[in-house]
Amino acid sequence: MESMKRVRKAVFPVAGLGTRFLPATKAVPKEMLTVVDRPVIQYVVDEAREAGIEHFIFVTGRNKAVIEDHFDIQFELYDTLAQRGKDEQLARLQRLQPAPGQTSFTRQQVPMGLGHAVWCARELVGDEPFALLLPDMIMQSEKSCTKAMVELYEETGNNIIAVQECDPAEAHKYGIVGRGEDTHHGFRITEMVEKPKSGTAPSNLYINGRYILQPEIFGILEGQEKGAGNEIQLTDAMLKLEKQQAFYGYHYKGRTFDCGSPEGFVEANVAFALWRSDMNQSMAGVIRTLLDEMKPSERRGAAF
């Protein structure tokens, strides 16, 4: 524990095509779709920054250059804001701006799954533990999920996976973990099952898209055979790593929105708008008005 390395780096797999959002994602990466007034990827990077992450590593694909541009300095925009006296907007952009050298980008080139995307970041991560944040999942809580995971990592020195509860009847849709004894601010993971058959799940705790992994995962992914979907699956590699190193679960109690689906994306927009003090009252009124104006036939069967 005395020689335990700090979690300084985070990997963001952003090479996905976003086909569920076509035609919106024909020219705009799904990670750049906005929730209220920030791109989805900005929420995830902000979460990592709150956890003390210093190096942001993006695994990209074709037509994703706008993500790199987003995290770069736009001199013309900054100068225009300064000249027009828009100091508050300029200061906000500067706060969100990573420092020079804090961002790195590498190409996945071929769509071979999450495990392959993680492996593509191996040279940039090096021999260090790292956080992995799936950019489709954005979270809402007072303390960021990743920050709490880093705190658990500092207590255990091992691999950490964030989990949340789901309806047991829906467990077959997710990666599910088995819960062992409680320890520190988490629990020991006893097993991991990717989309278990109905009625066979070891718990209703599903993996919600946040991980802290040891660098030994790269050596396993190097020779990992293709699994479900004919892709290199991260879960398969973690199962092998589990035989060598312990895995701990962090039970996240905040809200998670799957912005990889249209329904989750719309839900995130509503939730984050209602969470903001400058928009809460007006948006709550708009939502109530829309619900009141819906015809009974339109309302019937709607889940509100």
Side-chain angles (χ1 to χ4, degrees):
M1 293 292 291
E2 292 181 358
S3 61
M4 181 179 65
K5 294 182 178 179
R6 190 164 64 88
V7 180
R8 302 186 311 111
K9 300 180 178 181
V11 174
F12 306 89
V14 294
L17 296 176
T19 54
R20 285 187 286 180
F21 281 93
L22 287 171
T25 50
K26 183 179 179 182
V28 178
K30 62 177 180 176
E31 297 83 8
M32 291 300 296
L33 298 177
T34 55
V35 171
V36 186
D37 58 0
R38 283 191 289 170
V40 169
I41 188 61
Q42 184 70 62
Y43 286 90
V44 186
V45 169
D46 289 347
E47 178 185 333
R49 182 186 285 111
E50 184 183 335
I53 297 298
E54 301 169 356
H55 189 178
F56 309 96
I57 300 167
F58 299 85
V59 182
T60 70
R62 294 185 63 189
N63 302 320
K64 299 282 184 165
V66 68
I67 296 176
E68 187 169 354
D69 291 340
H70 174 72
F71 291 103
D72 200 357
I73 294 175
Q74 294 179 299
F75 293 101
E76 299 86 350
L77 174 61
Y78 286 16
D79 183 61
T80 299
L81 291 174
Q83 289 186 29
R84 294 179 179 177
K86 297 183 179 295
D87 298 333
E88 184 177 341
Q89 289 177 299
L90 178 59
R92 185 184 182 204
L93 288 177
Q94 290 173 332
R95 286 195 301 269
L96 297 175
Q97 180 71 50
Q102 279 194 317
T103 56
S104 296
F105 297 81
T106 187
R107 288 283 184 106
Q108 186 176 10
Q109 297 175 316
V110 288
M112 292 178 60
L114 177 58
H116 181 260
V118 172
W119 178 77
C120 288
R122 66 198 182 281
E123 298 294 339
L124 293 168
V125 172
D127 188 25
E128 298 184 39
F130 64 99
L132 171 65
L133 294 86
L134 303 192
D136 282 350
M137 315 300 286
I138 64 173
M139 300 181 172
Q140 189 182 71
S141 56
E142 293 301 326
K143 177 191 286 188
S144 86
C145 180
T146 302
K147 181 176 176 61
M149 293 173 68
V150 168
E151 292 172 355
L152 180 58
Y153 165 79
E154 291 172 348
E155 295 172 343
T156 65
N158 284 285
N159 303 278
I160 311 294
I161 299 176
V163 299
Q164 287 182 257
E165 294 179 14
C166 68
D167 183 338
E170 302 291 311
H172 64 281
K173 298 180 179 180
Y174 305 101
I176 302 293
V177 305
R179 181 166 190 154
E181 71 277 8
D182 290 342
T183 178
H184 302 284
H185 293 91
F187 61 91
R188 185 71 178 261
I189 289 177
T190 57
E191 58 182 309
M192 290 178 275
V193 185
E194 186 66 32
K195 296 182 179 179
K197 293 182 180 179
S198 295
T200 66
S203 74
N204 69 328
L205 297 175
Y206 75 94
I207 300 172
N208 70 4
R210 298 292 186 268
Y211 312 76
I212 293 176
L213 298 172
Q214 296 292 330
E216 286 78 11
I217 195 75
F218 294 120
I220 296 173
L221 288 169
E222 179 82 35
Q224 181 68 47
E225 297 180 354
K226 293 180 180 179
N230 201 33
E231 296 179 336
I232 297 175
Q233 297 293 337
L234 179 64
T235 303
D236 294 341
M238 290 194 300
L239 287 170
K240 292 181 180 178
L241 184 59
E242 185 185 25
K243 297 177 181 178
Q244 308 166 20
Q245 300 177 355
F247 276 75
Y248 289 85
Y250 166 65
H251 192 171
Y252 176 65
K253 300 296 181 65
R255 296 187 182 93
T256 298
F257 305 97
D258 180 5
C259 290
S261 71
E263 296 85 356
F265 177 73
V266 172
E267 182 184 1
N269 269 279
V270 172
F272 276 91
L274 291 174
W275 215 36
R276 285 178 46 159
S277 58
D278 62 331
M279 300 180 68
N280 177 281
Q281 291 188 3
S282 61
M283 286 306 303
V286 168
I287 292 169
R288 283 192 292 267
T289 299
L290 289 173
L291 288 172
D292 290 341
E293 290 179 352
M294 288 178 65
K295 297 178 181 178
S297 60
E298 293 173 334
R299 228 183 213 179
R300 195 176 301 120
F304 293 107

